[in-house]
Amino acid sequence: MVEMVEHGTLNYEELLVYGYTPGDLIVFSSNVNPYGPPPAVTAALHREIDRDAISRYPDRLSLDLRSRLATHHGVPENAIIVGNGTADLMWLLAFLFLRGKRVVIFSPTFGEYRNIVNLAGGQWQPVCHPGWVRQPDGVYTPFDTGVEEATAALAAQQAEVVFLCNPNNPTGQHWTEDVVQRFYEAAPRALWVIDEAYTEFTPSPWSAVGWHARGNVIALRSMTKDFSLGGLRLGYAVAPAELVVQMQHAQPPWNVNALAQIAGITALEQLAWRRETMARLRRECASLQQALVERGFAPMETTTNYFLTPVTDAAQVRKQLLAQRLMVRDCTSFGLPRYIRIATQRPEQNRVLVEALARLRLPGTQGA
Ligand SMILES: Cc1ncc(COP(=O)(O)O)c(C=O)c1O
């Protein structure tokens, strides 16, 4: 059996053990916009249900959505493929492009990249994000390394495929276009997968979508985070047209359902809503961090809605909070057993978490 890395979203088996329903919890472990989905999306879904969207087969190629995404990003339509969330597209990438490949993964990061490389029988090597070092036991610790070191480590690997999450989950670091260009130059012949699931949460959301024209760069864009469509599932890739054709051939037919397509089309008309909620979340994230600092914690800097906070034992902290119906991300599976990741929620919910954390009284929980 291939070893699989766990996720931080709701684990429904675990909920059964606790006797909880999803609505019983305040979920700080999933990085979804807590203000969504946009009301216009919900209204459009209701309308489409009344118009038979549930019975009719969906457009297999999501042509309408694809065309609007192309206009939105200023890229050709044939550079876009829509998926049932970006996780779906990652598995497609694994099936087509990762078999037996030598893959570099900028780490610590989202565990799904490792999972798909393992499932595809490839070999993965971590290259540390600047600011981190990997210990022999696989644990990552903060370290004073820069772009130079990461670039040199990547160049030494002769990777055939590179995964870069930008901004990175779970660290919240966001590399500028210049820095990513320097990384790219260290492996210019590799296939690059740049996961931009959280780009829109940052104050300066630059995108590598235009890099599809280089012929070896795939940008993954989720719509489940900023537009809060996690349950509906929707994502897309912007990729070289010849790779898009291969992916279309390999994609299970009709796997992007009709309601998800309508949600995506409507969401693209809600950019002002997105801007407003993102700005609000950034302010609330800063307030939450400040409240944690006042309670003796040392949350790490972030560019997104989520951030790492050092604790002595992340698994214990998660467990104790879960007993109080609060779910944070134990970062052990990222190689960060002494960190929890907190995704900013609404102010009243954030206050509940700060109070609960302050009450935990685990040795060393407070402070770095
Ligand atoms: C970095 C990153 N990429 C992709 C995904 C998957 O997103 P989607 O809902 O689009 O499948 C996640 C989900 O947690 C993520 O953290």
Side-chain angles (χ1 to χ4, degrees):
M1 281 281 272
V2 171
E3 186 207 324
M4 299 293 274
V5 183
E6 282 169 28
H7 288 286
T9 51
L10 289 176
N11 173 343
Y12 287 76
E13 273 182 330
E14 184 180 54
L15 295 189
L16 284 178
V17 172
Y18 279 84
Y20 293 157
T21 63
D24 293 337
L25 294 169
I26 309 179
V27 180
F28 295 86
S29 63
S30 160
N31 304 326
V32 168
N33 181 352
Y35 290 105
V41 167
T42 318
L45 292 176
H46 284 297
R47 260 196 322 274
E48 286 304 311
I49 287 171
D50 290 342
R51 290 185 194 149
D52 213 18
I54 290 182
S55 309
R56 207 183 311 119
Y57 269 78
D59 172 1
R60 215 165 56 76
L61 295 177
S62 307
L63 289 175
D64 191 1
L65 175 56
R66 193 166 85 143
S67 146
R68 289 167 194 252
L69 287 168
T71 307
H72 175 66
H73 286 297
V75 300
E77 285 177 32
N78 64 3
I80 295 181
I81 178 164
V82 180
N84 188 29
T86 45
D88 173 49
L89 295 168
M90 286 178 206
W91 285 62
L92 207 50
L93 294 180
F95 180 63
L96 291 170
F97 308 126
L98 299 183
R99 285 192 203 180
K101 287 288 181 345
R102 190 176 164 79
V103 181
V104 159
I105 302 176
F106 275 86
S107 301
T109 198
F110 186 46
E112 202 58 23
Y113 314 139
R114 248 165 74 184
N115 287 343
I116 59 174
V117 176
N118 287 340
L119 281 163
Q123 297 150 22
W124 60 272
Q125 281 297 328
V127 158
C128 287
H129 275 284
W132 294 92
V133 70
R134 189 173 195 258
Q135 307 297 341
D137 59 0
V139 168
Y140 294 88
T141 47
F143 201 68
D144 189 18
T145 52
V147 173
E148 285 301 315
E149 284 90 337
T151 310
L154 174 57
Q157 289 294 334
Q158 291 166 356
E160 294 170 281
V161 182
V162 180
F163 277 87
L164 174 69
C165 186
N166 197 42
N168 188 37
N169 174 13
T171 61
Q173 293 164 297
H174 190 212
W175 305 117
T176 62
E177 186 163 4
D178 285 352
V179 168
V180 179
Q181 175 61 28
R182 285 174 65 191
F183 292 156
Y184 177 84
E185 284 165 11
R189 278 182 292 281
L191 174 66
W192 279 75
V193 182
I194 304 182
D195 183 349
E196 301 184 343
Y198 301 107
T199 295
E200 298 300 334
F201 289 87
T202 70
S204 45
W206 81 274
S207 175
V209 289
W211 291 17
H212 72 92
R214 299 180 180 198
N216 65 340
V217 181
I218 299 174
L220 293 176
R221 306 275 309 195
S222 178
M223 295 184 82
T224 65
K225 315 295 186 185
D226 47 355
F227 289 115
S228 195
L229 304 175
L232 203 54
R233 317 295 303 128
L234 190 63
Y236 56 98
V238 183
E242 52 287 8
L243 301 189
V244 168
V245 170
Q246 290 181 52
M247 290 167 79
Q248 278 170 347
H249 285 169
Q251 193 172 38
W254 313 295
N255 76 333
V256 183
N257 71 73
L259 294 177
Q261 293 185 35
I262 288 297
I265 289 165
T266 314
L268 287 176
E269 293 161 358
Q270 298 301 311
L271 300 182
W273 175 91
R274 182 169 70 181
R275 261 194 310 281
E276 194 273 319
T277 54
M278 295 288 114
R280 205 186 318 167
L281 257 187
R282 273 195 293 279
R283 289 194 298 274
E284 280 152 16
C285 182
S287 306
L288 170 57
Q289 288 207 321
Q290 179 57 33
L292 287 169
V293 168
E294 283 164 15
R295 298 302 187 126
F297 291 91
M300 293 184 82
E301 256 183 63
T302 186
T303 62
T304 63
N305 53 329
Y306 54 85
F307 53 87
L308 292 175
T309 298
V311 292
T312 35
D313 182 342
Q316 266 304 317
V317 171
R318 177 184 185 275
K319 198 167 157 203
Q320 293 198 20
L321 289 173
L322 195 54
Q324 301 173 57
R325 300 175 185 241
L326 304 171
M327 187 181 275
V328 295
R329 177 68 153 99
D330 160 14
C331 290
T332 303
S333 70
F334 290 102
L336 298 165
R338 292 164 71 91
Y339 291 86
I340 54 169
R341 190 195 64 203
I342 298 171
T344 309
Q345 302 302 307
R346 297 169 183 240
E348 63 281 11
Q349 299 172 320
N350 298 335
R351 279 194 287 277
V352 174
L353 178 68
V354 172
E355 291 312 314
L357 275 167
R359 278 196 310 266
L360 281 184
R361 306 217 180 282
L362 286 169
T365 293
Q366 296 192 317

